[in-house]
């Protein structure tokens, strides 16, 4: 029966919403140890306890057909060291314990792939065939390495983005084998947190390592002794229920809440309502000890609740599991020698596809193919979620079966072993099995929810703790505040209750704390032995010391204008420059250096080393003091700050007081400037030479597969990835042309107006106008991307369009768009090299117009002539070629083609942004085509890249669901800001070039005036 009135005798009234362990702990302390508090607990279920759920199972014996045995289906085990508050609480209320077994087993592919258990040697070798498999020994070896090395992750600074990686990223970055991941770590983690493999892979690695360290799971010996409640968990829930008496209300769900403010006394109370809007009273404090989705649902009913609080609660996710209590052995390992307390049954093909193998190929550090890894296959990308409104049948489809929530691995607990059952039958609890147990052997089926942990959920819980806990009398607690276990739930309940009452727990008084803290063993396990110390000194400390001195000396010479600051882990700042305003930027650029290996990367690889240092998470750029940016986060830092960093480098490189005219010679064409030639960094010159040789040997754009491989490395990443930031109408992956007007008188440069979509349509019209396309003409679109230009030419002019590309992914999406537009009769796409296409006899002189939009950069310097030759073959006598090209200024081109950089090594393997002179020279040498017209839209490209970056970062969650990781997020931001700075400073340009043969009658002279654009200020 629900409480419907209140007593004025009680000074302070507290409501506890939720009767699980968290609510019971909070209510018990307030009721027993806080005489000035009246507490009322409200539970929606017909019983108290939540996951502490005891069920009676039939155990018919001779002479007693009604005999039963009690088993727990939720909370089962604990230990004294990691559960200090719960253990003391049980002692206080008279709950006894008994020892239990915590063995683990893993059985993959019905025991055929691997089957082992941790309780004995016979269990480890349960499947005798695995003894001869190298993968089994890789698993054992990697387990030992993980136990020895995983703790090193916690030595990183808390703000270090490398510490913020997911478990999947960590396994890949450290090169652990699939056997280790699938045979041990992933199934074990899934069992501990009742989580799907998707949730396990997204689990924060440092959270897992901290948990395992504190629970001594890295130790072979000295592991804690686990216990289970003697007589099952209903013993403690019944004792607490008896203590609370009429103050505990079951079958009384709280549905809504209303804020009451006393204007005279400036006090706030809260009125709670149950079913049919029935009030259960007004309270000074409300403790939400329920699941966060329930708390959010209740709070949404009050208009005055902070929307940010609701968002934080929404980010703390729960995963639903269908739980079977049964006696069917088919949901256990095949071999009884492998039966353990915790048994993980899985499918190796789904486990092994989630962890990308480490590679030594030319790629970014921490990445598989040059951009970071994708962990999820297409089927796995669809994460199972429930909005709480699913029917029983809908939940069954989502959670159960071979395609259910636990499709990669499910868990069966062997209760006889875990709970010391004295009965004649085996009793199991299975979560989301591939097939349900035999109905005749099934005793209970229910849905249970468990908190899932991601970096966003950890950030949300920290925000709730620091910004909202106790505000206006609202309190939040639950197992989600730590690791999701029983101690975490009861400790958070105790913590809130002691904060309200300001009285410590009885067993915590001597410690000087209100609540006993959980042990932190991480600091005690980081000492190195003599051999490790020597190895660390030679492989890390010494190189860092040498390279740090070299780089600091180099930067003092190179950065003389503006201000660059390196903020180190110890809080010290290393400053460079004169501190004066550079361009329009008056604030210092602050790079937050997390790992001093940053200096080694720069000293050995110069600018490419800087890129790899950022991609590896060795540093980020901070926001300027007092400023914020919605794109900033701990993974990428401030992306606008990256652009500022590159502009600072460019301003110092092009400083007129240090820059001299290039020396003209056949072998040299460069600046006398430290930022160009890495003067003072001999090791960097050697590293750059190695990178250049690797580039020339492995990234050539030859016809025999080189171009195909390089194009595939970028454009076939994922169509869904590119749609996350491209405009939603044309899908053009090239510079837009905005409506540009001169800036107001008090500013310099241009102001770009309109949306990205509008600007891309304007660019398409410009290309077709420059080509002077006429209705019904035949047009060749070389490198058609996702079909934006082809579609526009066919729609607007009725052109017969042929498009060629080397990207299979692009062709697939482009053809879908053509089909949707109903233009299949006008547009044909083909995957073919432009040189092969040009040799076909049927293509000789076939096309009236050829347009190539930002494809020439993929051709390569040594093949520019081949491109013009190919166009010459397919272009009609009166034809016109229009090319949009990213170009490098002549003053740096000779140096550029004799070196490597971030773009042509990492982003566009084998790419080359030619100079205008190189293009004209190639056209002269290999064709009869003559340059007729030029437009420079470089500043428009800076604005385009800025908008792409904003959209990309805005869609971070979507990008991560596609399977891209932290490394990729940093790569893509570095790429976009690097290019934005280049175009904004006009260090690189984007040109629209018109070519035709002499005497071309179809090329009408252009009648227009154009002004030279100026550098526009950064927004």
């Amino acid at each position: 029966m629900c409480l419907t009135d209140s007593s004025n005798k009680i000074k302070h009234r507290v409501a506890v919403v939720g009767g699980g362990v968290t609510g019971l702990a909070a209510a018990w302390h307030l009721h027993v140890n806080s005489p000035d508090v009246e507490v009322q607990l409200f539970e929606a279920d017909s019983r108290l306890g939540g996951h502490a759920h005891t069920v009676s199972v039939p155990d018919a014996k001779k002479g007693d057909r009604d005999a039963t045995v009690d088993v727990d289906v939720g909370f089962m085990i604990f230990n004294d060291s990691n559960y200090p508050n719960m253990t003391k609480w049980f002692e206080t209320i008279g709950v006894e314990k008994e020892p239990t077994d915590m063995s683990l087993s893993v059985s993959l592919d019905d025991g055929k792939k691997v089957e082992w258990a941790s309780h004995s040697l016979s269990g480890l070798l349960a499947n005798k065939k695995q003894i001869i498999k190298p993968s089994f020994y890789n698993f054992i070896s990697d387990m030992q390495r993980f136990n020895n090395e995983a703790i090193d992750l916690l030595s990183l600074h808390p703000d270090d983005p490398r510490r913020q990686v997911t478990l999947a990223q960590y396994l890949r970055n450290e090169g652990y084998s699939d056997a280790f991941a699938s045979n041990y770590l992933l199934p074990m983690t899934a069992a501990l947190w009742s989580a799907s493999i998707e949730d396990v892979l997204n689990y924060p690695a440092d959270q897992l390592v901290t948990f395992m360290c504190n629970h001594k799971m890295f130790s072979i010996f000295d592991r804690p002794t686990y216990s289970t409640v003697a007589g099952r968990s209903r013993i403690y829930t019944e004792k607490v229920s008896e203590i609370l008496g009429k103050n505990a209300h079951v079958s009384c769900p709280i549905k809504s809440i209303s804020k009451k403010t006393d204007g005279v006394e400036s006090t706030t109370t809260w009125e709670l309502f149950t079913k049919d809007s029935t009030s259960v009273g007004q309270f000074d404090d409300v403790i939400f000890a329920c699941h966060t989705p329930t708390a959010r649902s209740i709070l949404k009913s009050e208009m005055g609740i902070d929307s940010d609080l609701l968002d934080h609660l929404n980010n703390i996710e729960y995963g639903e599991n269908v739980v079977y209590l049964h006696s069917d052995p088919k949901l256990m390992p095949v071999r009884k020698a492998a039966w353990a307390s915790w048994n993980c049954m899985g499918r190796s093909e789904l486990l092994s596809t989630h962890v990308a193998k480490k590679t030594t190929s030319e790629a970014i550090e921490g990445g598989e193919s040059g951009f970071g890894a994708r962990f999820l296959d297409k089927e796995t990308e669809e994460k199972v979620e429930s909005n709480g409104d699913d029917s029983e049948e809908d939940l069954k489809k989502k959670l159960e079966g071979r395609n259910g929530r636990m499709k990669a691995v499910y868990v069966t607990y062997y209760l006889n072993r875990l709970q010391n059952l004295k009965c004649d039958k085996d009793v199991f609890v299975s979560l989301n099995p591939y097939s349900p147990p035999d109905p005749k052997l099934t005793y209970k089926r229910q849905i249970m929810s468990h908190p899932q942990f991601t970096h966003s959920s950890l950030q949300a819980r920290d925000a709730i703790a620091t910004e909202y806990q106790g505000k206006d009398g609202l309190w939040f607690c639950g197992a989600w505040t730590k690791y999701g276990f029983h101690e975490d739930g009861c400790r958070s309940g105790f913590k809130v209750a002691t904060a309200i009452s300001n009285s410590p727990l009885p067993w915590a008084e001597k410690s000087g704390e209100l609540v006993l803290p959980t042990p932190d063993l991480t600091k005690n396990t980081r000492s190195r032995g003599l051999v490790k110390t020597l190895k660390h000194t030679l492989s890390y400390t010494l190189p860092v010391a040498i390279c740090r001195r070299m780089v600091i000396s180099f930067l003092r010479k190179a950065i003389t204008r503006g201000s660059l600051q390196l903020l180190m882990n110890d809080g010290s700042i290393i400053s460079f420059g004169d501190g004066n305003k550079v361009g329009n930027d008056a604030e210092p650029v602050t790079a937050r250096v997390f790992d001093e290996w940053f200096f080694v990367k720069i000293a050995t690889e110069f600018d490419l080393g800087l890129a790899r240092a950022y991609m590896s998470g060795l540093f980020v750029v901070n926001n300027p003091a007092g400023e914020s940016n919605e794109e900033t986060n701990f993974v990428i830092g401030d992306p606008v700050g990256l652009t500022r960093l590159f502009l600072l480098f460019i301003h110092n490189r092009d400083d007129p007081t240090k820059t001299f005219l290039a020396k003209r010679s056949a072998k040299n064409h460069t600046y006398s400037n430290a930022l160009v030639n890495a003067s003072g960094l001999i090791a960097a010159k050697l590293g750059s030479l190695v990178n250049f040789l690797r580039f020339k040997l492995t990234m050539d754009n030859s016809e025999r597969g080189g171009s195909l491989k390089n194009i595939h490395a970028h454009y076939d990443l994922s169509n869904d990835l590119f749609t996350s930031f491209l405009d939603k109408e044309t899908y053009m992956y090239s510079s837009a042309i905005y409506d540009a007007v001169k800036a107001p008188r008090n500013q310099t440069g241009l102001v770009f107006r309109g949306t990205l979509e509008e600007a891309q349509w304007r660019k398409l019209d410009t290309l077709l106008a420059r080509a002077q396309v006429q209705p019904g003409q035949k047009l060749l679109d070389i490198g058609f991307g996702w079909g934006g230009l082809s579609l526009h030419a066919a729609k607007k002019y009725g052109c017969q369009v042929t498009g060629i590309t080397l990207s299979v992914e692009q062709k697939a999406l482009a053809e879908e768009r053509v089909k949707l537009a109903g233009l299949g009769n006008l547009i044909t796409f083909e995957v073919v090299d432009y040189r092969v296409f040009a040799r076909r006899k049927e293509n000789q002189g076939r096309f009236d117009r050829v347009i190539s939009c930002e494809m020439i950069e993929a051709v390569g310097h040594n093949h520019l002539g081949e491109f013009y030759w190919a166009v010459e073959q397919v272009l009609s006598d009166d034809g016109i070629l229009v090319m949009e090209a990213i170009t490098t200024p002549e003053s740096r081109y000779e140096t550029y083609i004799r070196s490597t950089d971030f773009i042509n090594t990492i982003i566009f393997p084998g790419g080359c942004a030619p100079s205008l002179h190189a293009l004209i020279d190639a056209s002269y040498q290999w064709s009869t085509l003559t340059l007729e017209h030029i437009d420079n839209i470089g500043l428009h490209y800076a604005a385009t890249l800025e908008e792409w970056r904003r959209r990309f970062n805005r869609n971070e969650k979507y990008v991560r669901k596609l399977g891209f990781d932290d490394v990729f997020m940093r790569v893509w931001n570095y790429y976009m800001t690097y290019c934005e700075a280049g175009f904004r400073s006009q260090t690189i340009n984007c040109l629209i070039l018109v070519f035709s043969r002499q005497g071309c009658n179809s090329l009408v002279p252009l009648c227009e005036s154009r002004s030279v654009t100026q550098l526009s200020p950064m927004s």
Side-chain angles (χ1 to χ4, degrees), residues 493-671:
F494 284 141
K495 194 172 181 179
V496 166
T498 54
I500 291 174
S501 66
N502 199 31
S503 59
L505 295 172
W507 52 85
E509 287 181 323
K510 293 182 180 179
S511 68
E513 302 281 347
L514 294 176
V515 179
L516 289 180
T518 52
D520 182 6
L521 305 180
T522 59
K523 297 178 181 178
N524 300 329
T525 57
R526 296 178 190 170
S527 59
R528 295 187 178 97
L530 180 59
V531 175
K532 281 190 174 182
T533 299
L534 181 60
K535 180 181 178 181
H536 182 76
T537 299
L538 295 176
S539 64
Y540 182 87
T541 308
L542 188 58
V544 163
I546 296 171
C547 293
R548 176 185 169 117
R549 170 173 278 185
M550 292 170 59
V551 171
I552 289 176
S553 176
F554 164 76
L555 288 175
R556 295 212 186 282
K557 298 176 184 176
I559 307 298
T560 58
R561 303 174 64 199
S563 177
L564 171 64
Q565 298 179 341
L566 303 183
L567 175 59
M568 311 309 291
N569 280 336
D570 60 4
S572 63
I573 296 176
I574 308 172
S575 299
F576 309 93
D578 59 11
N580 293 328
K581 180 178 179 181
V582 172
N584 297 293
D585 194 354
E587 296 294 327
V589 177
T590 302
R592 174 67 175 90
V593 179
F594 297 106
D595 191 327
E596 294 195 16
W597 197 254
F598 162 85
F599 296 110
V600 178
K601 298 302 295 180
I602 295 175
T604 55
E605 296 185 87
F606 196 45
D607 56 341
L608 196 51
L610 179 71
R612 286 183 168 138
Y614 177 77
M615 294 183 294
S616 300
L618 304 187
F619 82 97
V620 297
V621 180
N622 287 347
N623 286 322
E627 296 185 19
S628 61
N629 179 358
E630 64 178 1
E631 296 179 71
T632 301
N633 61 48
F634 65 84
V635 173
I636 63 173
D638 175 21
V640 176
L642 270 179
T643 306
R644 295 174 58 236
L645 176 65
F646 297 134
L647 287 171
L648 178 65
F649 288 154
I650 291 169
H651 280 297
N652 278 274
R653 183 197 67 191
D654 297 342
D655 183 353
T657 65
K658 296 186 299 182
T659 302
F660 302 92
L661 291 176
K663 296 179 181 178
R664 297 177 180 272
S665 72
K667 297 183 178 179
N668 187 34
H669 200 178
T670 184
Y671 291 119

Side-chain angles (χ1 to χ4, degrees), residues 116-138:
W116 69 276
S118 65
H119 51 66
S120 63
L121 181 61
S122 61
L124 181 65
L125 305 178
N127 181 353
K128 302 298 188 295
K129 294 181 180 180
Q130 64 199 16
I131 301 174
I132 62 174
K133 295 179 180 179
S135 60
F136 185 72
Y137 296 97
N138 290 339

